[in-house]
Amino acid sequence: MSKDDLRDRIWDHLETEGIARFPFPPHGRIPNFADASDAADRLADTNAWQAADTLKCNPDAPQLPVRRQALRDGKTIYMAVPRLSEAKPFLRLAPDEIDDIDDATTVSGSSKHGVPVDPEAMPQIDLIVAGSVAVDEAGHRVGKGEGFSDLEFAVLRGFDRVAADTTVATTVHDSQVVDDGDIDPDRHDVPLDLVVTPTRAVEINAVANRPDGLYWDDLAAEKIEEIPVLQRLQPE
């Protein structure tokens, strides 16, 4: 099955079974799901979470409880601006700089409360939380199809802000965990170390399969032109 077919299968299932939550429809996005806050609570119980001071987190609805928990736990969050389109392509959400955590952790509120930062000004990232459409217990992940989660990881690798062994986690509904073999990863896909659902946490040792950084042959010239930070990293 292709990645597109798998996405459609998961989106359809979440919708028809009443698992999807606002925003609707789940199609074409990282889908929000019932009991996402329970998955966030379970993530917060993991050793990886408790050891982390800085997170890179996606802005999507199912990870809203994760972002709020992070700030309440005193962790600093870095979120990418849409499509990495700005010269300073990340926003810093620091608990000591924010008065309204609930607003600051929404998509619209992050741009209002977040401080734009250059990757060179960021600290080492301790934990990455990615949004997912489908995952398996081998650590393979399918996003919504635009590739920005993997690109953000590669950019931060290029600036030495994430390491080969930085933990990468996701929160999903149990029905988004598919059989091993359903996902055929590409070489730029970043595998997961931790899959957390409302009912369980699956730890995976995926470091050996992690990309080293950017694969320039996989990037269209138009994308490089649209993303200033890629131009800075591009080899001569």
Side-chain angles (χ1 to χ4, degrees):
M1 152 180 332
S2 71
K3 287 183 177 180
D4 284 342
D5 289 340
L6 180 58
R7 290 183 186 100
D8 287 337
R9 190 184 90 189
I10 295 296
W11 286 328
D12 288 347
H13 174 80
L14 295 176
E15 184 174 51
T16 59
E17 296 300 317
I19 298 167
R21 295 293 182 267
F22 180 85
F24 297 106
H27 301 71
R29 67 178 84 246
I30 300 297
N32 199 7
F33 58 89
D35 301 321
S37 59
D38 290 344
D41 290 344
R42 192 170 294 276
L43 174 62
D45 285 337
T46 65
N47 291 334
W49 178 275
Q50 293 169 14
D53 293 320
T54 58
L55 277 69
K56 202 281 285 186
C57 191
N58 63 301
D60 302 281
Q63 282 70 49
L64 177 61
V66 173
R67 298 191 295 275
R68 289 179 173 166
Q69 186 65 48
L71 290 180
R72 290 173 182 143
D73 286 352
K75 304 178 190 298
T76 298
I77 302 171
Y78 291 87
M79 296 170 59
V81 304
R83 310 188 75 81
L84 293 171
S85 59
E86 303 294 333
K88 294 182 177 180
F90 292 91
L91 297 172
R92 182 182 69 234
L93 299 174
D96 59 353
E97 298 173 344
I98 291 171
D99 295 325
D100 187 342
I101 288 176
D102 285 351
D103 185 50
T105 47
T106 64
V107 173
S108 59
S110 64
S111 61
K112 179 172 64 175
H113 296 272
V115 177
V117 292
D118 187 278
E120 290 185 328
M122 292 169 58
Q124 194 78 7
I125 298 298
D126 300 319
L127 173 66
I128 294 172
V129 179
S132 304
V133 175
V135 300
D136 65 24
E137 293 189 21
H140 302 128
R141 168 189 168 275
V142 173
K144 62 184 178 182
E146 295 183 331
F148 277 96
S149 179
D150 299 317
L151 186 58
E152 291 159 19
F153 177 91
V155 165
L156 291 174
R157 281 282 277 158
F159 284 97
D160 294 322
R161 294 307 183 262
V162 299
D165 59 352
T166 301
T167 299
V168 182
T170 194
T171 56
V172 292
H173 191 266
D174 288 274
S175 63
Q176 292 174 258
V177 182
V178 301
D179 293 336
D180 290 356
D182 281 357
I183 300 174
D184 184 17
D186 295 309
R187 65 173 181 168
H188 58 262
D189 289 344
V190 178
L192 299 161
D193 304 292
L194 188 59
V195 172
V196 184
T197 78
T199 66
R200 60 190 178 125
V202 180
E203 295 187 11
I204 305 153
N205 184 10
V207 171
N209 300 316
R210 187 155 291 170
D212 293 329
L214 289 157
Y215 294 108
W216 292 101
D217 292 344
D218 295 349
L219 295 172
E222 294 81 2
K223 178 167 280 191
I224 297 172
E225 291 174 3
E226 293 168 354
I227 300 177
V229 74
L230 288 182
Q231 297 164 29
R232 291 167 56 189
L233 289 169
Q234 189 174 21
E236 296 293 337

Short mmCIF file of all heavy atoms in Angstrom, two decimals, residues 5-51:
data_model
loop_
_atom_site.label_atom_id
_atom_site.label_comp_id
_atom_site.label_asym_id
_atom_site.label_seq_id
_atom_site.Cartn_x
_atom_site.Cartn_y
_atom_site.Cartn_z
N ASP A 5 -2.38 5.89 0.12
CA ASP A 5 -3.47 4.96 0.41
C ASP A 5 -3.62 4.74 1.91
O ASP A 5 -4.74 4.66 2.43
CB ASP A 5 -3.22 3.62 -0.28
CG ASP A 5 -3.39 3.69 -1.79
OD1 ASP A 5 -4.05 4.63 -2.28
OD2 ASP A 5 -2.82 2.82 -2.49
N LEU A 6 -2.48 4.66 2.61
CA LEU A 6 -2.53 4.45 4.05
C LEU A 6 -3.12 5.68 4.76
O LEU A 6 -3.94 5.53 5.67
CB LEU A 6 -1.12 4.16 4.58
CG LEU A 6 -0.99 3.92 6.09
CD1 LEU A 6 -1.88 2.76 6.53
CD2 LEU A 6 0.47 3.65 6.46
N ARG A 7 -2.72 6.85 4.32
CA ARG A 7 -3.30 8.07 4.90
C ARG A 7 -4.82 8.07 4.74
O ARG A 7 -5.56 8.33 5.70
CB ARG A 7 -2.71 9.32 4.23
CG ARG A 7 -1.26 9.58 4.54
CD ARG A 7 -0.80 10.90 3.88
NE ARG A 7 0.63 11.08 4.06
CZ ARG A 7 1.56 10.82 3.14
NH1 ARG A 7 1.19 10.37 1.94
NH2 ARG A 7 2.84 11.00 3.40
N ASP A 8 -5.28 7.79 3.54
CA ASP A 8 -6.72 7.79 3.29
C ASP A 8 -7.42 6.76 4.17
O ASP A 8 -8.52 7.01 4.69
CB ASP A 8 -7.01 7.50 1.82
CG ASP A 8 -6.68 8.68 0.91
OD1 ASP A 8 -6.63 9.82 1.41
OD2 ASP A 8 -6.46 8.45 -0.30
N ARG A 9 -6.81 5.60 4.34
CA ARG A 9 -7.41 4.56 5.18
C ARG A 9 -7.56 5.03 6.62
O ARG A 9 -8.62 4.85 7.26
CB ARG A 9 -6.55 3.29 5.13
CG ARG A 9 -7.20 2.08 5.78
CD ARG A 9 -6.25 0.90 5.79
NE ARG A 9 -5.44 0.86 7.00
CZ ARG A 9 -4.40 0.04 7.19
NH1 ARG A 9 -4.05 -0.80 6.22
NH2 ARG A 9 -3.73 0.05 8.32
N ILE A 10 -6.52 5.66 7.15
CA ILE A 10 -6.56 6.13 8.53
C ILE A 10 -7.54 7.28 8.68
O ILE A 10 -8.36 7.31 9.61
CB ILE A 10 -5.15 6.55 9.00
CG1 ILE A 10 -4.21 5.34 9.03
CG2 ILE A 10 -5.23 7.24 10.37
CD1 ILE A 10 -4.59 4.27 10.03
N TRP A 11 -7.47 8.26 7.79
CA TRP A 11 -8.40 9.39 7.87
C TRP A 11 -9.85 8.92 7.80
O TRP A 11 -10.70 9.39 8.58
CB TRP A 11 -8.10 10.39 6.74
CG TRP A 11 -6.86 11.20 6.94
CD1 TRP A 11 -6.33 11.63 8.12
CD2 TRP A 11 -5.99 11.69 5.90
NE1 TRP A 11 -5.18 12.36 7.88
CE2 TRP A 11 -4.94 12.42 6.55
CE3 TRP A 11 -5.99 11.59 4.51
CZ2 TRP A 11 -3.92 13.04 5.83
CZ3 TRP A 11 -4.98 12.21 3.80
CH2 TRP A 11 -3.95 12.93 4.45
N ASP A 12 -10.15 8.02 6.87
CA ASP A 12 -11.51 7.51 6.74
C ASP A 12 -11.95 6.81 8.01
O ASP A 12 -13.09 6.98 8.48
CB ASP A 12 -11.61 6.55 5.55
CG ASP A 12 -11.53 7.23 4.20
OD1 ASP A 12 -11.63 8.47 4.15
OD2 ASP A 12 -11.32 6.52 3.19
N HIS A 13 -11.05 5.99 8.58
CA HIS A 13 -11.40 5.24 9.78
C HIS A 13 -11.69 6.18 10.95
O HIS A 13 -12.69 5.99 11.67
CB HIS A 13 -10.24 4.29 10.14
CG HIS A 13 -10.45 3.58 11.44
ND1 HIS A 13 -11.25 2.47 11.56
CD2 HIS A 13 -9.95 3.83 12.70
CE1 HIS A 13 -11.24 2.05 12.82
NE2 HIS A 13 -10.47 2.86 13.52
N LEU A 14 -10.83 7.17 11.14
CA LEU A 14 -11.03 8.10 12.25
C LEU A 14 -12.36 8.84 12.12
O LEU A 14 -13.05 9.08 13.12
CB LEU A 14 -9.88 9.10 12.33
CG LEU A 14 -8.50 8.53 12.66
CD1 LEU A 14 -7.44 9.63 12.59
CD2 LEU A 14 -8.48 7.87 14.03
N GLU A 15 -12.72 9.16 10.88
CA GLU A 15 -13.98 9.88 10.65
C GLU A 15 -15.18 8.98 10.83
O GLU A 15 -16.12 9.32 11.56
CB GLU A 15 -13.98 10.50 9.26
CG GLU A 15 -15.21 11.34 8.97
CD GLU A 15 -15.10 12.06 7.64
OE1 GLU A 15 -14.80 11.39 6.62
OE2 GLU A 15 -15.33 13.27 7.60
N THR A 16 -15.17 7.82 10.19
CA THR A 16 -16.36 6.95 10.22
C THR A 16 -16.60 6.35 11.59
O THR A 16 -17.75 6.10 11.96
CB THR A 16 -16.25 5.84 9.16
OG1 THR A 16 -15.07 5.06 9.42
CG2 THR A 16 -16.17 6.43 7.77
N GLU A 17 -15.54 6.14 12.35
CA GLU A 17 -15.69 5.54 13.68
C GLU A 17 -15.90 6.58 14.78
O GLU A 17 -16.00 6.23 15.96
CB GLU A 17 -14.45 4.70 14.02
CG GLU A 17 -14.25 3.51 13.10
CD GLU A 17 -15.43 2.54 13.16
OE1 GLU A 17 -15.92 2.26 14.28
OE2 GLU A 17 -15.87 2.09 12.08
N GLY A 18 -15.96 7.85 14.41
CA GLY A 18 -16.21 8.89 15.41
C GLY A 18 -15.04 9.16 16.33
O GLY A 18 -15.22 9.72 17.42
N ILE A 19 -13.84 8.81 15.89
CA ILE A 19 -12.63 9.01 16.71
C ILE A 19 -12.05 10.39 16.49
O ILE A 19 -11.45 10.98 17.40
CB ILE A 19 -11.59 7.92 16.38
CG1 ILE A 19 -12.13 6.54 16.71
CG2 ILE A 19 -10.28 8.18 17.12
CD1 ILE A 19 -11.30 5.40 16.13
N ALA A 20 -12.22 10.94 15.29
CA ALA A 20 -11.65 12.25 14.96
C ALA A 20 -12.30 13.34 15.81
O ALA A 20 -13.48 13.27 16.17
CB ALA A 20 -11.86 12.55 13.48
N ARG A 21 -11.51 14.34 16.12
CA ARG A 21 -11.97 15.51 16.85
C ARG A 21 -11.61 16.76 16.06
O ARG A 21 -10.83 16.72 15.13
CB ARG A 21 -11.34 15.56 18.25
CG ARG A 21 -11.77 14.42 19.16
CD ARG A 21 -13.26 14.54 19.51
NE ARG A 21 -13.72 13.51 20.43
CZ ARG A 21 -14.25 12.35 20.06
NH1 ARG A 21 -14.38 12.05 18.76
NH2 ARG A 21 -14.66 11.48 20.96
N PHE A 22 -12.20 17.90 16.44
CA PHE A 22 -11.96 19.17 15.74
C PHE A 22 -10.46 19.42 15.62
O PHE A 22 -9.73 19.15 16.57
CB PHE A 22 -12.64 20.30 16.54
CG PHE A 22 -12.45 21.64 15.90
CD1 PHE A 22 -13.31 22.08 14.91
CD2 PHE A 22 -11.39 22.46 16.28
CE1 PHE A 22 -13.13 23.32 14.31
CE2 PHE A 22 -11.21 23.70 15.69
CZ PHE A 22 -12.08 24.13 14.70
N PRO A 23 -10.01 19.91 14.47
CA PRO A 23 -10.77 20.39 13.31
C PRO A 23 -11.17 19.28 12.35
O PRO A 23 -10.47 18.28 12.23
CB PRO A 23 -9.78 21.36 12.64
CG PRO A 23 -8.44 20.83 13.01
CD PRO A 23 -8.58 20.25 14.39
N PHE A 24 -12.30 19.48 11.70
CA PHE A 24 -12.84 18.53 10.75
C PHE A 24 -12.71 19.07 9.32
O PHE A 24 -12.71 20.28 9.11
CB PHE A 24 -14.30 18.24 11.05
CG PHE A 24 -14.54 17.60 12.38
CD1 PHE A 24 -15.07 18.32 13.44
CD2 PHE A 24 -14.22 16.26 12.59
CE1 PHE A 24 -15.29 17.73 14.68
CE2 PHE A 24 -14.44 15.66 13.82
CZ PHE A 24 -14.98 16.40 14.87
N PRO A 25 -12.66 18.18 8.32
CA PRO A 25 -12.50 16.73 8.46
C PRO A 25 -11.05 16.41 8.83
O PRO A 25 -10.17 17.27 8.72
CB PRO A 25 -12.84 16.22 7.06
CG PRO A 25 -12.38 17.33 6.16
CD PRO A 25 -12.69 18.60 6.90
N PRO A 26 -10.78 15.17 9.26
CA PRO A 26 -9.40 14.80 9.57
C PRO A 26 -8.51 14.73 8.34
O PRO A 26 -7.28 14.81 8.44
CB PRO A 26 -9.54 13.43 10.23
CG PRO A 26 -10.84 12.88 9.69
CD PRO A 26 -11.73 14.07 9.53
N HIS A 27 -9.09 14.60 7.18
CA HIS A 27 -8.35 14.41 5.94
C HIS A 27 -7.47 15.62 5.62
O HIS A 27 -7.87 16.77 5.83
CB HIS A 27 -9.31 14.15 4.78
CG HIS A 27 -10.17 12.95 4.97
ND1 HIS A 27 -11.20 12.91 5.90
CD2 HIS A 27 -10.16 11.73 4.36
CE1 HIS A 27 -11.78 11.73 5.84
NE2 HIS A 27 -11.17 10.99 4.93
N GLY A 28 -6.26 15.31 5.14
CA GLY A 28 -5.35 16.36 4.72
C GLY A 28 -4.59 17.03 5.83
O GLY A 28 -3.88 18.02 5.60
N ARG A 29 -4.67 16.50 7.04
CA ARG A 29 -4.01 17.12 8.18
C ARG A 29 -3.49 16.05 9.14
O ARG A 29 -3.77 14.86 8.99
CB ARG A 29 -4.98 18.05 8.90
CG ARG A 29 -6.13 17.32 9.58
CD ARG A 29 -7.05 18.28 10.35
NE ARG A 29 -8.06 18.90 9.49
CZ ARG A 29 -8.12 20.20 9.21
NH1 ARG A 29 -7.23 21.02 9.74
NH2 ARG A 29 -9.07 20.68 8.43
N ILE A 30 -2.69 16.49 10.12
CA ILE A 30 -2.38 15.62 11.25
C ILE A 30 -3.67 15.54 12.07
O ILE A 30 -4.11 16.54 12.64
CB ILE A 30 -1.23 16.18 12.10
CG1 ILE A 30 0.05 16.32 11.26
CG2 ILE A 30 -0.99 15.29 13.32
CD1 ILE A 30 0.61 15.01 10.73
N PRO A 31 -4.32 14.39 12.11
CA PRO A 31 -5.69 14.35 12.64
C PRO A 31 -5.74 14.40 14.16
O PRO A 31 -4.99 13.69 14.85
CB PRO A 31 -6.21 13.01 12.12
CG PRO A 31 -4.99 12.15 12.01
CD PRO A 31 -3.88 13.08 11.61
N ASN A 32 -6.63 15.25 14.66
CA ASN A 32 -6.91 15.24 16.08
C ASN A 32 -7.76 14.02 16.42
O ASN A 32 -8.51 13.52 15.58
CB ASN A 32 -7.64 16.52 16.48
CG ASN A 32 -7.55 16.80 17.97
OD1 ASN A 32 -6.85 16.11 18.70
ND2 ASN A 32 -8.26 17.82 18.41
N PHE A 33 -7.63 13.54 17.64
CA PHE A 33 -8.29 12.27 17.97
C PHE A 33 -8.81 12.27 19.41
O PHE A 33 -8.34 13.05 20.26
CB PHE A 33 -7.32 11.09 17.77
CG PHE A 33 -6.05 11.18 18.57
CD1 PHE A 33 -5.95 10.64 19.85
CD2 PHE A 33 -4.92 11.80 18.04
CE1 PHE A 33 -4.78 10.72 20.58
CE2 PHE A 33 -3.73 11.88 18.75
CZ PHE A 33 -3.67 11.33 20.04
N ALA A 34 -9.77 11.42 19.67
CA ALA A 34 -10.34 11.28 21.00
C ALA A 34 -9.25 10.86 22.00
O ALA A 34 -8.39 10.05 21.68
CB ALA A 34 -11.45 10.23 20.99
N ASP A 35 -9.30 11.45 23.18
CA ASP A 35 -8.39 11.11 24.28
C ASP A 35 -6.95 11.52 23.99
O ASP A 35 -6.01 10.93 24.53
CB ASP A 35 -8.46 9.62 24.61
CG ASP A 35 -9.86 9.17 25.01
OD1 ASP A 35 -10.53 9.95 25.72
OD2 ASP A 35 -10.28 8.09 24.61
N ALA A 36 -6.76 12.56 23.16
CA ALA A 36 -5.40 13.05 22.92
C ALA A 36 -4.74 13.53 24.21
O ALA A 36 -3.53 13.39 24.38
CB ALA A 36 -5.44 14.18 21.89
N SER A 37 -5.54 14.06 25.14
CA SER A 37 -4.96 14.51 26.41
C SER A 37 -4.45 13.33 27.23
O SER A 37 -3.46 13.47 27.97
CB SER A 37 -5.99 15.32 27.20
OG SER A 37 -7.14 14.54 27.48
N ASP A 38 -5.10 12.17 27.11
CA ASP A 38 -4.61 10.98 27.82
C ASP A 38 -3.26 10.53 27.26
O ASP A 38 -2.38 10.10 28.00
CB ASP A 38 -5.62 9.83 27.70
CG ASP A 38 -6.89 10.08 28.50
OD1 ASP A 38 -6.88 10.98 29.37
OD2 ASP A 38 -7.89 9.40 28.24
N ALA A 39 -3.10 10.65 25.94
CA ALA A 39 -1.82 10.31 25.33
C ALA A 39 -0.75 11.28 25.79
O ALA A 39 0.40 10.88 26.06
CB ALA A 39 -1.93 10.33 23.81
N ALA A 40 -1.09 12.56 25.91
CA ALA A 40 -0.13 13.55 26.41
C ALA A 40 0.27 13.25 27.85
O ALA A 40 1.45 13.36 28.22
CB ALA A 40 -0.72 14.95 26.30
N ASP A 41 -0.70 12.85 28.67
CA ASP A 41 -0.38 12.49 30.06
C ASP A 41 0.56 11.29 30.12
O ASP A 41 1.48 11.25 30.94
CB ASP A 41 -1.67 12.15 30.82
CG ASP A 41 -2.54 13.37 31.08
OD1 ASP A 41 -2.04 14.51 30.95
OD2 ASP A 41 -3.74 13.18 31.40
N ARG A 42 0.32 10.33 29.24
CA ARG A 42 1.17 9.14 29.23
C ARG A 42 2.58 9.49 28.76
O ARG A 42 3.56 8.97 29.29
CB ARG A 42 0.54 8.06 28.34
CG ARG A 42 1.18 6.69 28.46
CD ARG A 42 0.36 5.64 27.73
NE ARG A 42 -0.93 5.44 28.33
CZ ARG A 42 -1.17 4.64 29.37
NH1 ARG A 42 -0.16 3.97 29.93
NH2 ARG A 42 -2.38 4.51 29.86
N LEU A 43 2.68 10.38 27.77
CA LEU A 43 4.00 10.85 27.34
C LEU A 43 4.72 11.53 28.49
O LEU A 43 5.94 11.33 28.67
CB LEU A 43 3.85 11.80 26.15
CG LEU A 43 5.13 12.49 25.67
CD1 LEU A 43 6.16 11.47 25.18
CD2 LEU A 43 4.81 13.49 24.56
N ALA A 44 4.00 12.32 29.27
CA ALA A 44 4.62 13.05 30.38
C ALA A 44 5.12 12.13 31.48
O ALA A 44 5.91 12.56 32.33
CB ALA A 44 3.63 14.06 30.95
N ASP A 45 4.69 10.88 31.48
CA ASP A 45 5.16 9.90 32.46
C ASP A 45 6.43 9.19 32.02
O ASP A 45 7.01 8.42 32.79
CB ASP A 45 4.08 8.85 32.72
CG ASP A 45 2.95 9.38 33.59
OD1 ASP A 45 3.17 10.35 34.33
OD2 ASP A 45 1.83 8.82 33.50
N THR A 46 6.89 9.41 30.78
CA THR A 46 8.05 8.68 30.27
C THR A 46 9.35 9.30 30.76
O THR A 46 9.42 10.50 31.09
CB THR A 46 8.05 8.65 28.73
OG1 THR A 46 8.21 9.98 28.22
CG2 THR A 46 6.77 8.03 28.20
N ASN A 47 10.39 8.51 30.77
CA ASN A 47 11.71 9.01 31.17
C ASN A 47 12.21 10.08 30.20
O ASN A 47 12.85 11.05 30.61
CB ASN A 47 12.72 7.86 31.23
CG ASN A 47 12.43 6.89 32.36
OD1 ASN A 47 11.83 7.26 33.38
ND2 ASN A 47 12.84 5.65 32.19
N ALA A 48 11.92 9.89 28.92
CA ALA A 48 12.38 10.86 27.91
C ALA A 48 11.80 12.23 28.17
O ALA A 48 12.49 13.26 28.04
CB ALA A 48 12.01 10.37 26.51
N TRP A 49 10.53 12.28 28.54
CA TRP A 49 9.89 13.56 28.85
C TRP A 49 10.49 14.17 30.11
O TRP A 49 10.84 15.36 30.14
CB TRP A 49 8.39 13.36 29.03
CG TRP A 49 7.65 14.61 29.40
CD1 TRP A 49 7.46 15.13 30.64
CD2 TRP A 49 6.99 15.50 28.50
NE1 TRP A 49 6.73 16.28 30.59
CE2 TRP A 49 6.43 16.53 29.27
CE3 TRP A 49 6.81 15.53 27.11
CZ2 TRP A 49 5.70 17.59 28.71
CZ3 TRP A 49 6.09 16.57 26.55
CH2 TRP A 49 5.55 17.59 27.35
N GLN A 50 10.61 13.40 31.13
CA GLN A 50 11.05 13.93 32.41
C GLN A 50 12.50 14.40 32.37
O GLN A 50 12.89 15.31 33.12
CB GLN A 50 10.83 12.88 33.50
CG GLN A 50 9.35 12.61 33.75
CD GLN A 50 9.08 11.40 34.61
OE1 GLN A 50 9.97 10.88 35.26
NE2 GLN A 50 7.84 10.94 34.61
N ALA A 51 13.30 13.85 31.46
CA ALA A 51 14.70 14.25 31.34
C ALA A 51 14.88 15.47 30.43
O ALA A 51 15.97 16.04 30.38
CB ALA A 51 15.54 13.10 30.80
#
